[in-house]
Amino acid sequence: MVVDVVAPQDFEPAFAHIEQSQAEALLVPIDPLIFNNRKAVIAFAARRRLPALYGVSVSDLVRDGGLMSYGTSIDPQYPRAAEYVDKILKGTSPSQLPVEQPTRFQMLVNLKTARALDLEFPPNLLAVADEVIE
C-alpha cells in the first residue's frame, strides 16, 4: 500500500490510514517534506511499534530514532551538485554535462530502536552496516 503525503497536514490522515490497514512495517522514501517532519514519522512508527526502513542514507533519521536507513549517501552529492552549478553559471550547457549516478550507498542501524521493537539484527548484517547506533 502506498500512502501519499504532499503537505504537512497530510501526515495525520496518512498515519490513520496506515493504522487502519494494520501495516506491519514501513518503507519511508525521503524527500524534503518527510525529512523536515521526520520526528513525527519516527514517533508514529515507535508508537505503533512498526519497524521502519528509510530509503536514503541520512544519519539524522537513525540518530533521531529511526530503525534503519539504506540508500545513497547524500553528503557526497552536494559537492558534485555545486560543481555542476558552477559549470552552468560559467556557461556550460546542462545538456553537455554527463548524467551521474550515486556510487556510495550506506546502511545505518539503530540498535536502541531495534531493542524497543524486540527485534534482533543478524550479526552479519551489523558487520556490513556503515554505522551502528547503540
Side-chain angles (χ1 to χ4, degrees), residues 45-127:
R47 204 170 44 252
R48 298 299 304 150
R49 299 188 44 78
L50 293 171
L53 171 65
Y54 299 88
V56 70
S57 184
V58 178
S59 60
D60 291 345
L61 296 165
V62 178
R63 285 195 182 103
D64 287 346
L67 177 62
M68 69 184 296
S69 67
Y70 179 76
T72 60
S73 178
I74 298 291
D75 293 339
Q77 294 179 39
Y78 292 123
R80 295 296 299 150
E83 290 173 20
Y84 271 48
V85 169
D86 182 58
K87 289 177 182 180
I88 292 167
L89 291 176
K90 290 179 178 173
T92 302
S93 171
S95 65
Q96 294 177 328
L97 296 172
V99 174
E100 294 187 11
Q101 294 184 5
T103 57
R104 175 99 167 96
F105 293 81
Q106 287 184 314
M107 181 184 346
L108 296 101
V109 175
N110 186 321
L111 290 181
K112 182 178 176 184
T113 300
R115 284 190 291 276
L117 295 171
D118 295 323
L119 295 175
E120 189 172 319
F121 284 102
N124 59 342
L125 184 124
L126 295 175

